[in-house]
Amino acid sequence: ADSNAKWTTGNYGIETTARTEWLLVAGEIIDELRDWTAELLAQNPQASGQPDEVPDQDWKAWQVVCSELAKQDKDRPRDWPKETKNGTHGRTDSRSRGFLKELAAINNRLRALDEKTLLIEEALGLRLYTGPLFEKYNAVNRGGSLSGITIPFMEERFHQLCGEKGKENRFTTTIYVLTSGLVKASKLSKAVIVFR
């Protein structure tokens, strides 16, 4: 697939790869779970290291996922690729902090509504979408149709970003996970009147 193929984003001029973005975002989640556990144990050494606001089932699932992610963590780059344009609000300065704490809060709000909660994999996919990978995911959705009419420009862009014809990466699982996460998170949205 194209996970190691470099491309430069159109909006911020970031030269990166899908694998680099994956390793950086996954690494932040690993770091945060470790730091959150250490913080709780520092406050109370006799505690389990599990936050009160995270149910057992979620905490165990997060630990399993982070254990799997950690197998690739040795390959994580030290630095985030830099913006070469529009860098007035660089992502290294404005990245989300407290990702897992926010996920716990969102899931508690969903539970209160008796809705399905976000899996850590869905939250990870949504986090990846907020970075350079949105270009590839959008290219698949706009120009990577397997049937129907596709605008030639969009199809060309899809192949530029996601691989030559017959060897494309359609990010099928990622887009499925994104869709699932968006549907779940949408339960927290309030319907309002929109004027156009």
Side-chain angles (χ1 to χ4, degrees):
D2 75 330
S3 62
N4 290 313
K6 287 187 178 183
W7 95 98
T8 302
T9 62
N11 55 356
Y12 293 102
I14 298 169
E15 184 180 78
T16 190
T17 69
R19 179 168 167 74
T20 297
E21 295 301 313
W22 165 261
L23 290 169
L24 289 166
V25 171
E28 282 193 340
I29 291 173
I30 294 166
D31 293 346
E32 187 174 337
L33 185 70
R34 182 195 61 235
D35 294 348
W36 198 5
T37 302
E39 174 187 320
L40 292 168
L41 289 173
Q43 293 169 2
N44 180 1
Q46 279 70 44
S48 67
Q50 176 179 335
D52 293 336
E53 63 268 30
V54 181
D56 287 349
Q57 182 180 351
D58 288 0
W59 190 249
K60 288 175 185 167
W62 293 4
Q63 290 176 323
V64 168
V65 169
C66 285
S67 175
E68 285 300 310
L69 294 175
K71 293 176 183 177
Q72 300 175 35
D73 198 41
K74 63 182 175 16
D75 299 330
R76 183 186 352 169
R78 288 179 170 228
D79 298 314
W80 290 70
K82 302 284 185 225
E83 298 85 350
T84 60
K85 60 183 183 180
N86 299 325
T88 56
H89 56 282
R91 67 185 185 149
T92 55
D93 300 328
S94 59
R95 296 198 303 277
S96 62
R97 303 282 191 258
F99 179 85
L100 291 176
K101 290 178 182 178
E102 184 62 27
L103 176 57
I106 288 169
N107 279 345
N108 286 333
R109 289 172 53 207
L110 287 166
R111 272 188 204 90
L113 297 172
D114 202 28
E115 295 289 347
K116 292 186 181 210
T117 58
L118 285 164
L119 301 174
I120 193 169
E121 296 89 345
E122 293 164 331
L124 176 58
L126 292 167
R127 175 70 172 83
L128 286 167
Y129 185 77
T130 66
L133 282 170
F134 85 92
E135 284 191 352
K136 289 188 178 238
Y137 305 154
N138 284 353
V140 171
N141 291 325
R142 294 174 180 164
S145 176
L146 292 171
S147 62
I149 299 171
T150 303
I151 298 170
F153 165 77
M154 294 294 184
E155 185 175 6
E156 182 182 334
R157 185 67 178 144
F158 163 65
H159 288 294
Q160 288 170 351
L161 288 173
C162 301
E164 62 187 76
K165 198 169 191 109
K167 296 181 180 179
E168 313 89 339
N169 184 350
R170 294 184 182 279
F171 295 94
T172 307
T173 302
T174 306
I175 291 172
Y176 177 86
V177 166
L178 280 169
T179 303
S180 177
L182 285 170
V183 168
K184 289 177 180 180
S186 72
K187 307 298 181 182
L188 298 176
S189 297
K190 293 185 174 137
V192 297
I193 296 173
V194 177
F195 298 95
R196 295 187 180 221

